[in-house]
Amino acid sequence: MPATTVPPTPHYVPAPPTKEDLEWADLPIVDISKAKTPEGRGELAPIVRDAMHTHGFLYIVNHGYTQGQNDRIFDIADVAFSQVSDEEKKQHAGNIMETGLYSGYKLRQYWHIDNGVRDQIEHFNMHPHVYDRQEYPKSLRLFLPEIRAWTEHNHYNILHPILRLLALGMELPEETFVNIHNFNAPGETWARFMKYYPRSEEDEKNTKNVWLKGHTDFGTITILWSQPVTALQILSPDGKWRWVKHMDNALVVNIGDSMEMLSGGFYKGTIHRVVQPPQDQRGYPRLGTFYFALSDDDVKLVPYAESPVLQRVGIKRRCADEDAPTMEEMRKGRTRSYGQVALKKREDGNEEEFVSGIVVKHYN
């Protein structure tokens, strides 16, 4: 059979990894290939359970894509920014406030960061269905089969095994969370290409070097494909900000607020932020590829109280069950408000807002 050919694209060359001595977050590393067997899931479930209960973050390795396939996705991701004109980006910009969802481009300077400084972040969001939910810039259309394959890989080969391990960690049937994350059901799980551009020294000073304030994700699971520009920090259990270290061809996976609510507070939506990179990486853009998982739209975000684990340790609710939002309500509320509404200052200097019936905290 003839070899399969793929459309050519410029090769994206990221910054070299930092050589600075930073205080790194100590996160567990999970070999997800072991989750293919019942014995492997039995071995991994307590590791994932403890990591997501304590840290809310972990690394995934052996996820099924080679380094070459990973590099190819980053090449395609950069096409969305370097090969599309500003005018065409505007034509494909999402109406975030009206629809309550990210679809297409979020252009730079949409979010307010601090002291009048607006963001220098572009991202392009894609629904997993890829073909039937939105229009794509001309430069990206040739790559839709590869983007579709990548989103399916994220969903079935990475997300689903993680969801099974999380269910086993709560002593629930292992398909419990898989059954509410259906690829073709009404919902707004999305893949994202995202590019942070260097900022002026004045902007860095006015935001205290913070590019994206401390927050929790509002979905269930976030999958970040590791890239070498060091900028992500998590708020550790001891109250210190620590850096997340790049690992070649690894994934950084974290819990979102919706999974915290479904798990009755057992799994933690950990605060994280993006800051100016170390000195030896400044001046480089930061290109990222992500898969943000949300449950099906009609899922009400109430705890699985039947979990034997919750019956032993107790449930920590973000709101009363009768007031809990659906996934659709949570997603629309958080998407419309982020970076657009005035936040209430707390006594500790951080900020908060009230969205979809729950308090959302923002950390500087």
Side-chain angles (χ1 to χ4, degrees):
M1 294 181 66
T4 301
T5 59
V6 295
T9 185
H11 178 53
Y12 179 76
V13 180
T18 183
K19 295 181 180 179
E20 294 195 22
D21 183 19
L22 303 174
E23 190 170 5
W24 301 108
D26 184 18
L27 302 178
I29 302 173
V30 173
D31 181 351
I32 202 68
S33 68
K34 293 182 179 181
K36 295 176 181 178
T37 67
E39 296 78 14
R41 292 193 292 277
E43 175 187 341
L44 294 180
I47 298 171
V48 172
R49 175 200 64 204
D50 293 347
M52 292 313 203
H53 178 67
T54 304
H55 300 284
F57 273 77
L58 53 74
Y59 291 108
I60 293 287
V61 296
N62 295 329
H63 46 72
Y65 260 39
T66 66
Q67 183 64 61
Q69 289 173 302
N70 189 339
D71 291 345
R72 172 69 176 177
I73 291 299
F74 275 86
D75 291 347
I76 294 171
D78 194 53
V79 169
F81 309 108
S82 64
Q83 305 296 314
V84 180
S85 68
D86 289 344
E87 185 59 37
E88 192 174 8
K89 288 174 185 175
K90 291 177 182 177
Q91 294 171 9
H92 293 279
N95 191 337
I96 300 169
M97 288 295 289
E98 180 178 318
T99 63
L101 60 87
Y102 294 118
S103 182
Y105 284 99
K106 183 212 76 70
L107 303 177
R108 283 187 261 185
Q109 300 193 352
Y110 178 76
W111 293 325
H112 175 253
I113 304 301
D114 206 4
N115 291 322
V117 177
R118 305 193 74 82
D119 72 275
Q120 292 297 329
I121 305 165
E122 285 182 335
H123 64 62
F124 185 76
N125 269 38
M126 301 157 286
H127 195 276
H129 300 167
V130 174
Y131 297 106
D132 57 357
R133 290 291 298 272
Q134 68 186 89
E135 295 293 327
Y136 285 79
K138 183 178 180 181
S139 298
L140 273 182
R141 291 174 197 163
L142 290 175
F143 305 103
L144 291 186
E146 292 174 89
I147 294 172
R148 169 71 184 229
W150 180 70
T151 59
E152 290 186 349
H153 183 76
N154 274 280
H155 195 89
Y156 293 111
N157 298 331
I158 301 170
L159 174 64
H160 277 191
I162 293 168
L163 293 173
R164 293 187 180 102
L165 295 172
L166 292 173
L168 290 172
M170 293 181 65
E171 299 175 22
L172 293 166
E174 67 176 40
E175 297 299 306
T176 298
F177 296 133
V178 170
N179 289 339
I180 60 171
H181 289 78
N182 294 289
F183 193 79
N184 294 308
E188 291 300 333
T189 287
W190 65 83
R192 175 182 293 178
F193 299 151
M194 190 169 188
K195 196 168 189 178
Y196 294 76
Y197 294 87
R199 305 189 310 180
S200 69
E201 286 303 313
E202 183 179 2
D203 281 357
E204 297 293 357
K205 179 181 178 181
N206 287 333
T207 60
K208 299 178 182 176
N209 307 108
V210 173
W211 287 9
L212 203 58
K213 282 189 174 184
H215 64 283
T216 51
D217 295 338
F218 63 80
T220 52
I221 300 293
T222 299
I223 300 169
L224 180 158
W225 291 65
S226 187
Q227 53 74 50
V229 177
T230 298
L232 178 62
Q233 294 182 332
I234 66 171
L235 190 60
S236 300
D238 63 2
K240 291 185 178 180
W241 289 106
R242 288 184 170 86
W243 301 82
V244 175
K245 190 172 186 177
H246 167 63
M247 293 177 55
D248 286 340
N249 203 26
L251 312 175
V252 179
V253 175
N254 66 275
I255 294 290
D257 287 346
S258 298
M259 181 58 73
E260 181 176 307
M261 295 173 73
L262 291 168
S263 70
F266 186 72
Y267 296 129
K268 311 294 185 184
T270 299
I271 300 290
H272 53 284
R273 67 181 183 181
V274 180
V275 299
Q276 185 182 31
Q279 186 67 45
D280 61 355
Q281 291 187 322
R282 291 178 188 172
Y284 288 94
R286 179 177 184 261
L287 180 67
T289 61
F290 302 78
Y291 195 73
F292 290 92
L294 284 68
S295 67
D296 301 345
D297 263 357
D298 62 358
V299 171
K300 193 172 178 66
L301 301 177
V302 296
Y304 280 83
E306 67 270 28
S307 162
V309 172
L310 292 184
Q311 291 173 14
R312 291 196 298 270
V313 304
I315 297 174
K316 296 179 181 178
R317 290 177 168 84
R318 298 282 291 273
C319 62
D321 287 356
E322 58 268 24
D323 297 328
T326 63
M327 184 71 258
E328 181 180 19
E329 291 166 341
M330 169 75 97
R331 179 250 305 168
K332 287 184 175 180
R334 290 284 295 270
T335 302
R336 285 171 173 152
S337 69
Y338 187 81
Q340 296 296 308
V341 302
L343 303 176
K344 180 183 177 181
K345 279 282 187 183
R346 303 191 311 170
E347 290 184 0
D348 63 4
N350 294 306
E351 299 163 317
E352 66 183 23
E353 59 178 324
F354 194 72
V355 180
S356 299
I358 63 173
V359 173
V360 178
K361 298 177 181 178
H362 300 263
Y363 287 71
N364 296 318

